[in-house]
Amino acid sequence: MIKRIAIVSLVFVLFSCSSTKPPLISGVKYDVLTGSDYGGASFQFYEIISEEAEFNILLTDDIIKPYVKKDDIKTCNFILVNMGEKKTAGYSLKVQKVEELDDKIIVTLKEIEPKGNLAQVVTKPCYVIKIKSKKPIEIK
């Protein structure tokens, strides 16, 4: 009996810690698959990954691989966001809004600056976001 309660509790904790965000507008869901202070490019840019050839590169990343399936490219688009070179750690990215229109998805992103005194170390934050739609994406 105790073992069963422990398993049910563990399953509840795992599902409550899921990175899936609730739909914000019109039922479009998204996941922030990974975010890191290191591994990005020296300059700011984003890339929308909607083609299988580009997606296959994501499948080779050991951090992202557990969160995607080979068939995801048929139903989802992905956004690679490089925040550029920063002089301290602690920068992050927030998905403020995901809005579905008839012809596209509009994703509004916000860069969050760190608060307080942080180590003076060069970082290159990057994120991968999974948008659960195949409509074209516009980034704001």
Side-chain angles (χ1 to χ4, degrees), residues 8 27 40 62 66 68 88:
V8 169
D62 289 335
V68 294
T88 67

Side-chain angles (χ1 to χ4, degrees), residues 8-52:
V8 169
S9 297
L10 178 62
V11 169
F12 176 75
V13 168
L14 289 175
F15 280 107
S16 66
C17 293
S18 170
S19 65
T20 301
K21 307 294 186 236
L24 295 178
I25 297 176
S26 301
V28 178
K29 292 186 179 183
Y30 68 92
D31 294 319
V32 177
L33 300 181
T34 185
S36 173
D37 278 343
Y38 304 98
S42 296
F43 54 94
Q44 280 189 328
F45 76 93
Y46 67 86
E47 181 178 353
I48 297 169
I49 299 168
S50 59
E51 301 297 322
E52 192 166 345

